[in-house]
Amino acid sequence: MPQPLIAIVGRPNVGKSTLFNRLVGKKLALVDDRPGVTRDRREGEASLLGLDFRIVDTAGFETDDPQTLPGRMRAQTQAAVDEADAALFLIDSRAGVTPLDEEIALWLRNSDTPVVLMANKAEGRAGDAGVMEAYRLGLGDPIPFSAEHGEGLVDLFESLRPHIEREDEPFEEDEDEATGPLKLAIVGRPNAGKSTLVNRMLGEERMITGPEAGITRDSISIDWMWRDQPVRLIDTAGLRRRAKVEDKLERLSAADTQRAIDFAEVVVLLLDATRGLEAQDLRIASQVIEEGRALLIAVSKWDVAENAPSLFQGIRGALDDGLAQVKGLPLITVSGFTGRGVDQLLEAAFSTREAWSRRVGTGELNRWFERAIEANPPPAPGGKRIKLRYLTQARTRPPTFVLFGTRVDQLPESYRRYLVNGIRRELGFGAVPVRMNVRAPKNPFGNK
């Protein structure tokens, strides 16, 4: 499915190409103070706070005869608007609304393409009057904007989002990633049984094992099939506490393991049942979570574990206390010697990857969001109310959300955790790491 298409329109020299360059993140379009520099339609891949779309820079709208060069340029602009999912109509707020702006507005009101009105060059007091004049164009509230300085991007995001997000369409890239080979890394302290477990999964002595710690030095990637599902399995070197790592080769092995974590989708932290949960295990787990990877905990050598029920409950409690940001991590007991728990571990890995790749439609997300803030309204620090406007999912893998509102920079961390925990618990994300960023619309008159 092609990405949504957004067209930039306006009379010459109002800043269309400057806006185009800002949205694509490169200086693809020529920019000059002289009007009419842009003649042909120029397309680029744009990104705005997690919204991805195609953007079209068009020639300045002229009223000349269709057979002239300006007339042919106008025909190209009209064609771009007809093909677009929405049009960004720029006026120059410093010059105010001109007769040509009014003519363009009339044409856009009669078209079927949704229009977002932008009062560009609105930085400073010189653009205030033009912003107010723009209301008379009959295209809704103008966005005070500065394409040159990047002011007003959040308001532009809010206006474009309904035209770009298509909840009824599949997210093909996410689906492809979620059905490709499962990239599964096995990490843990030295001699936790990682290579033995890998050999049991593969059904062959693929990895060298033995009682000596640190036999595996490189991260070994192996492609195989489990129940007709492709898996890329990565066995890694053991990770000791950094202060104990003195050998240069061991430092290189640890760096290789870190790269394996970066590459993986799901990481299995393997604990040794004969040693229980140690501080280094929690450090490794925190490292995986900080990288945004989905995490499973497996306890190996369960066939020789002493007082197994008490050990399991102790590890469960210590994990929930030490990794409160992802409370409820899957905890699975396995044995590389007997094969116990191997299928359960792989089932959990595929299920966790699915949650890690999950995208929630904006409608469903904000219905939940409204219930959440109604049940527990945000606080009012210093007596000033924090107003939360809406929530959107900016990306997956890991799931990342952007919260919009006023004074959100004063939102307590405890309230962010309340929202994140609710998202994980009620919207199907389970124990995967969820990230939340906050954005406040810029007040163009705040420094007046």
Side-chain angles (χ1 to χ4, degrees):
M1 185 67 64
Q3 287 185 322
L5 181 67
I6 306 298
I8 304 174
V9 298
R11 60 182 178 81
N13 213 30
V14 293
K16 297 186 298 298
S17 294
T18 304
L19 174 61
F20 175 87
N21 286 341
R22 178 165 291 280
L23 292 176
V24 300
K26 302 175 184 177
K27 291 187 177 180
L28 296 181
L30 297 178
V31 176
D32 192 85
D33 290 337
R34 291 170 296 173
V37 172
T38 301
R39 290 180 172 177
D40 294 300
R41 285 186 277 173
R42 180 184 293 275
E43 289 194 26
E45 300 294 326
S47 182
L48 176 62
L49 301 176
L51 291 179
D52 295 321
F53 52 96
R54 288 183 300 139
I55 189 78
V56 183
D57 184 22
T58 66
F61 198 92
E62 304 273 13
T63 57
D64 294 56
D65 185 276
Q67 301 305 314
T68 65
L69 176 59
R72 297 196 300 275
M73 288 158 55
R74 172 174 171 166
Q76 286 289 315
T77 298
Q78 291 175 321
V81 170
D82 290 342
E83 296 171 7
D85 293 277
L88 301 179
F89 174 28
L90 265 66
I91 69 161
D92 183 337
S93 65
R94 299 193 174 201
V97 174
T98 68
L100 183 53
D101 290 326
E102 293 178 337
E103 182 174 340
I104 298 170
L106 176 62
W107 163 59
L108 289 172
R109 287 199 304 270
N110 291 326
S111 76
D112 295 327
T113 304
V115 178
V116 175
L117 176 60
M118 301 175 65
N120 193 31
K121 307 181 185 180
E123 69 278 8
R125 301 183 63 90
D128 294 357
V131 173
M132 299 307 296
E133 278 186 38
Y135 280 93
R136 78 174 197 235
L137 294 174
L139 292 169
D141 295 346
I143 299 174
F145 197 83
S146 171
E148 184 173 355
H149 300 285
E151 297 178 7
L153 288 173
V154 171
D155 292 325
L156 177 58
F157 172 96
E158 294 178 18
S159 298
L160 278 181
R161 185 171 57 92
H163 308 300
I164 291 176
E165 291 186 339
R166 301 166 173 173
E167 295 183 33
D168 55 337
E169 294 179 0
F171 291 90
E172 296 180 356
E173 291 183 4
D174 292 345
E175 291 182 357
D176 291 344
E177 290 172 332
T179 56
L182 169 66
K183 301 179 182 71
L184 183 67
I186 314 290
V187 303
R189 287 180 280 110
N191 213 28
K194 299 183 293 297
S195 296
T196 303
L197 178 62
V198 169
N199 286 342
R200 170 58 65 174
M201 289 177 171
L202 299 176
E204 61 175 292
E205 295 297 311
R206 175 65 173 77
M207 308 299 299
I208 301 173
T209 60
E212 304 88 354
I215 291 177
T216 301
R217 286 179 168 172
D218 299 307
S219 295
I220 306 299
S221 177
I222 305 162
D223 291 321
W224 65 296
M225 299 290 290
W226 176 76
R227 295 182 179 175
D228 296 327
Q229 298 182 84
V231 179
R232 182 162 298 158
L233 193 59
I234 309 161
D235 184 21
T236 64
L239 290 172
R240 292 199 297 166
R241 192 158 53 92
R242 185 172 299 176
K244 292 186 176 182
V245 178
E246 299 174 352
D247 179 68
K248 178 181 178 182
L249 185 57
E250 188 173 354
R251 288 200 302 271
L252 293 174
S253 295
D256 201 34
T257 297
Q258 177 60 56
R259 286 192 291 272
I261 292 173
D262 294 343
F263 173 77
E265 298 169 320
V266 179
V267 176
V268 175
L269 173 57
L270 200 61
L271 311 182
D272 186 336
T274 64
R275 299 176 64 180
L277 181 70
E278 298 184 355
Q280 174 64 357
D281 296 315
L282 290 176
R283 279 190 285 268
I284 296 171
S286 295
Q287 180 182 346
V288 173
I289 293 166
E290 286 170 8
E291 291 297 330
R293 300 299 176 259
L295 178 63
L296 304 177
I297 309 295
V299 188
S300 71
K301 308 179 185 178
W302 199 251
D303 51 306
V304 295
E306 297 181 3
N307 195 9
S310 176
L311 175 63
F312 185 89
Q313 293 303 322
I315 293 175
R316 174 83 279 167
L319 286 171
D320 287 346
D321 289 342
L323 302 171
Q325 69 271 43
V326 284
K327 188 174 290 188
L329 282 170
L331 177 60
I332 301 162
T333 57
V334 298
S335 169
F337 182 71
T338 67
R340 170 198 172 105
V342 169
D343 286 340
Q344 183 185 358
L345 177 64
L346 287 162
E347 288 171 357
F350 275 99
S351 176
T352 300
R353 181 179 69 164
E354 184 177 345
W356 188 63
S357 306
R358 175 170 165 71
R359 184 182 290 273
V360 181
T362 302
E364 178 187 356
L365 180 61
N366 280 281
R367 285 190 292 272
W368 170 85
F369 181 56
E370 290 171 5
R371 294 194 300 270
I373 58 178
E374 183 179 348
N376 182 16
K384 294 184 177 180
R385 182 184 173 204
I386 296 175
K387 184 175 181 181
L388 303 183
R389 300 170 68 178
Y390 64 87
L391 189 65
T392 188
Q393 185 172 0
R395 54 167 293 185
T396 64
R397 306 163 66 85
T400 303
F401 297 84
V402 182
L403 174 62
F404 290 88
T406 56
R407 284 187 283 277
V408 287
D409 56 321
Q410 301 176 36
L411 195 67
E413 186 60 33
S414 58
Y415 198 85
R416 289 199 205 192
R417 283 198 303 271
Y418 161 70
L419 294 176
V420 167
N421 290 337
I423 288 170
R424 291 175 52 239
R425 184 178 60 251
E426 300 178 33
L427 295 179
F429 290 96
V432 303
V434 170
R435 294 174 175 173
M436 180 175 289
N437 302 316
V438 297
R439 295 282 188 275
K442 184 176 179 64
N443 181 358
F445 309 111
N447 60 347
K448 307 293 187 292

